[in-house]
Amino acid sequence: MTQIFDIAKQWLISDGKEAPLVSFYFQNSADFRVGLDRFTKTLTGLINSENSQAIIAAVVGEIGNNSFDHNLGNWPDQPGVFFAFDEKERLVVLADRGQGVLTTLKTVRPELDSDEKALKVAFSEVVTSRAPEPRGNGLKFVRQVVANHDFVLDFYSGRAVIHLNDGLEPVIEATDILYNGCLAVFRF
Amino acid sequence: MKQRIFYITAVWPYSVFNFFMIIELKKFGEILVSRQDGREAFAAFRPTLTQVQDNEDIEIDFTGVRVFSPSWGDEFFRPLFEMFNQERVTFKNTKNSSVEETLSFLEQLKGVKFKII
């Protein structure tokens, strides 16, 4: 895995007292919008197809904004997202030290008792984790796009990870390490 | 932000004048992905929508939108469809892949079929 993954991973498994490097750290959604705009400009020099550029940016935007939407006012320690990309590897890493998928979904699915089950629900069932507001389905959109295009996504939260690979059935596994929040590795 | 035009949708003797309000989404930005931005866009545009007459329909034009995602779309279209019957709203110039994927996803999520030309 690349260096940016290692940096993001270290941030999530740390005690959360230190923020990531300024160049990778976007403390609020307005900052993230600037980073996403910069990323889309980089994509134009990397990928010829405007349609591919658009759908890649949509996935990155959806995952990044998800962090802010589901943690506003509830960040356990450091707010904001880690966002970095490796042009050579065609890989994007996004991470946040938010509540994580299980804690977020438990508000509407109190019966959930593991990170693995929470990831399954987040990527496959229509729910809203901000009831009564009808929202919380961005990750299902991400799954649809990964399935319809030649993309790969690994999404870590808590002690679990879900692997999405093209149109294959998702694979969910337990992890040895506790990921405080969410970490997404998106390959395009 | 808007323009009013009318089309003749049938020829004499059955001429009917239909008026459309065209909403050019690019006026809200080229990258439309966050819920917060979608919510603010609708709040800003709502006063204009209150001027739509009963004999007017609405066209949503995606020309110039580079990146579109369900979060922005949901925050803008959900209240729009609460104000207007979905039959009165048409989407056009949707060939951008992020627009196509988003509209397809929202259709599945809500169990509806959008009017796309």
Side-chain angles (χ1 to χ4, degrees), chain A residues 33 40 51 62 135 144 149, chain B residues 37 69 71 75 97 101:
Chain A
R33 191 189 310 147
T40 58
N51 269 331
E62 196 68 28
R135 59 179 62 180
Q144 172 186 296
H149 299 77
Chain B
D37 289 349
S69 85
S71 290
E75 291 291 340
S97 62
E101 287 278 7

Side-chain angles (χ1 to χ4, degrees), chain A residues 118-182:
Chain A
L119 281 178
K120 184 179 181 184
V121 169
F123 280 89
S124 59
E125 294 180 26
V126 175
V127 292
T128 170
S129 56
R130 289 187 50 164
E133 299 170 67
R135 59 179 62 180
N137 296 298
L139 294 178
K140 278 167 282 295
F141 169 75
V142 170
R143 180 182 172 184
Q144 172 186 296
V145 172
V146 169
N148 291 344
H149 299 77
D150 192 19
F151 299 146
V152 176
L153 176 78
D154 295 330
F155 193 98
Y156 301 77
S157 186
R159 290 190 182 276
V161 57
I162 183 168
H163 306 283
L164 302 179
N165 192 343
D166 209 346
L168 302 176
E169 197 61 26
V171 175
I172 301 173
E173 296 175 311
T175 59
D176 296 332
I177 299 171
L178 172 65
Y179 292 86
N180 294 300
C182 298

Side-chain angles (χ1 to χ4, degrees), chain A residues 29 33 36-37 40 51-52 54-55 57-58 61-62 65 69 126 134-137 140-141 144-145 148-149, chain B residues 31 33-37 39 66-71 74-75 78 95-98 101-102 104-105 108-109:
Chain A
S29 58
R33 191 189 310 147
L36 185 63
D37 190 48
T40 58
N51 269 331
S52 295
I55 201 64
E62 196 68 28
N65 280 301
D69 290 339
V126 175
R135 59 179 62 180
N137 296 298
K140 278 167 282 295
F141 169 75
Q144 172 186 296
V145 172
N148 291 344
H149 299 77
Chain B
I31 300 176
V33 294
S34 86
R35 284 198 174 273
Q36 186 180 337
D37 289 349
R39 193 162 50 243
R66 286 167 54 206
V67 185
F68 193 68
S69 85
S71 290
D74 185 50
E75 291 291 340
R78 182 168 32 81
K95 287 302 174 192
N96 176 296
S97 62
S98 64
E101 287 278 7
T102 294
S104 162
F105 179 74
Q108 291 174 43
L109 201 63

Side-chain angles (χ1 to χ4, degrees), chain A residues 3-4 7 19-27 31-32 34-36 38-39 81-85 93-94:
Chain A
Q3 190 181 7
I4 53 174
I7 297 170
L21 292 171
V22 172
S23 53
F24 298 146
Y25 183 46
F26 299 84
Q27 197 168 27
D31 287 348
F32 179 69
V34 173
L36 185 63
R38 190 192 313 155
F39 174 64
V81 300
F82 172 100
F83 171 33
F85 51 95
V93 175
L94 294 141

